[in-house]
Amino acid sequence: MTDNPRFANRSELLGILLLAVLLVVVLPLGLDVFRLNLVAKYLTYAFVALGLVICWGYGGILSLGQGVFFGLGGYCMAMFLKLEASSPENTKIQSTPGIPDFMDWNQITQLPLFWQPFHSLTFTVAAVILVPAFFAFIIGAAMFKRRVGGTYFAIITQAVAAILTILIVGQQGYTGGINGMTDLRTLKGWDIRPDHAKIVLYFFEVACLFGCIFIAQSIRHSKLGRILVAMREKEDRVRFSGYSVANFKIFAFCIAAIFSAIGGAMFALNVGFMSPSFVGIVPSIEMVIYTAVGGRLSILGAIYGTLLVNFAKTSLSESFPELWLFGLGGLFIAVVLAFPNGLAGIWGDYIQPQLNRLIPSRKSASGAAAGWNGNSVADGAPAE
Amino acid sequence: MFGDYSIGDLGSIFVMQGFAGLILFSVYVLMALGLAIIFGQMGVINMAHGEFMILGAYVTWLTSSAFQHYLPSLFSGYFFIAMALAFVASGSLGMLVEWALIRHLYKRPLDTLLATWGLSLMLQQAYRSIFGAREVGVELPQWMLGSLRVTESIEVPINGIFVMCLTVLITVCVAWIMYKSRWGRQVRAVVQNRVMAGAVGINTEKVDRYTFALGCGIAGVAGSAFTMIGSTGPTSGQLYIVDTFLVVVFGGAASLLGTIASAFSISQTQSTLEFFMSGSMAKVLTLLAVVGILMLRPQGLFALKVRK
């Protein structure tokens, strides 16, 4: 990489433009509202995948607990929506009107203290960003300052995911337990359930996604992004050059957590409920799968990976539920063994060079960039 | 909290909970032994460990059904044959997996996690297709039923005692293999310095394959022992995998003694807390304590000093 543009080079811009056309024009025109809402659901995971590209692909930190942050963001948003859906008029039949229905079922008669601030939308939006960032900071600081990384970090984040799930399921009265928070209705008085609302929310989500892509691209092309890659390749050399490795890792982990949390909040808005089944170990690992299939080094690849795996999951598991798990497991083994850089790696390593050979005139223009997905040879495969 | 119980009651509670904790301890040790070999010694993150266990459990179930049908007179002893079969089945599958999958990934430990997760999904589906989605339970022979009455208020189940004895036996065997036998010395040499071990004539590929197979085989035996105290379903393995990894990491990977000590402390904390609060809160507190201690002491309780 001889050039270092601030946001994206030409071929990357083309890739982002293609994604924009796909998400803003092709899918909304080609799909009915039900399918479009499914795409919106898949895209919430794309936020997580995007964060994983930053922290796993570039920073070399594999987190198996991204579901925790997805859940924190999602629950913050769901608490706000639930409070709005539990106005005294809506809940008159309860023994204590004005509190969420699951609290009433669990004999809790007063709104708990930590629920109170979620009456305010401003607070909720701030909490969606800050609560996960705070947790990520604590976990990251405790681990990276003591130079714990790699497999140990992965296992501990997994344990955190287990803890949060057990806690949510166990504290039924405060969290809705295993059923989660259902029956979310309005956002500031605006009904989120009818079709036109779903379409508006979809476009809002796509806008947020492109905002996150912009941030991720800026990080990637900044000096910070280069330090992250350097750290992944030879951590000690970066440390001996005088950089604080721990702080950079904490930063990458926090960014990934915030992206996941935004995805979670979008999930609560678009899908209309939030439950612990999106928090635990299995969903967390599935999110890593999306990133790996798309390409852990490619920002756009991770988004395509998320969409493709989820489409495959929905269509296959509807018709062949047995085949699906075999397919997913096999796909995963194949990706790890044969294509460590995922779909984006296939494109960058095999298809792109072929294209360049077929069109010799473009060779000089895109040769330096080596792929719209940014998976240049210079990035290389991660050491682990 | 303690007000409602007399001193004698409290004593019985602690003994009973302590004994429940001991059974949990045996379970943890059995599961963690195989993983301590695979993860601690080899550095491979085997997310399919639970599924190897379940394979052992299904083999045991098949054996017990076969004995019931064809050799009812020998039914009381079926378990020992089942255990050997479970070891062979899981060990062979482990050898196959090492050959097909793991050996390509020794330089990329985090990728072993992803690949074995894929493997565990496929195995789960395979169990569901072959044995059905419902949980299966093994019928225990007569001598294993019932419980021993120690005092007026304390009684302990016989199958629990049996599982505990089994755990001790297997642990001693593993310790002997790893620390006394020639082959165990080779394994530890490969772990500490692969290149040097290869240079002095150890066939490191073969050692890797048999080490992985041994770890999986022990998982199979653990699954076999599990049928004594619970039922088995296609996804049961998933329930234990995080706990097992925490036990191994908490004890300090590569340390057998550490694994046992951490299994003991985690299981005793869990079962004692369980009496005073809901099971889920006890679990949360235990896990939080483990994670907290790991943050203070990342290498675990017993760290092996290796020059890197």
Side-chain angles (χ1 to χ4, degrees), chain B residues 130-174:
Chain B
I130 299 170
F131 301 105
R134 272 197 307 165
E135 301 212 327
V136 297
V138 170
E139 200 174 308
L140 293 181
Q142 203 59 43
W143 58 272
M144 239 183 255
L145 299 172
S147 57
L148 284 180
R149 213 173 223 314
V150 182
T151 67
E152 273 302 293
S153 52
I154 303 175
E155 45 180 276
V156 289
I158 292 177
N159 56 356
I161 298 174
F162 182 74
V163 170
M164 276 173 5
C165 296
L166 203 64
T167 308
V168 173
L169 188 73
I170 294 170
T171 312
V172 170
C173 286
V174 171

Side-chain angles (χ1 to χ4, degrees), chain B residues 287-305:
Chain B
L287 289 181
L288 269 181
V290 169
V291 169
I293 294 172
L294 274 178
M295 284 180 174
L296 298 174
R297 211 184 140 77
Q299 294 311 316
L301 296 176
F302 295 79
L304 188 69
K305 285 196 177 61

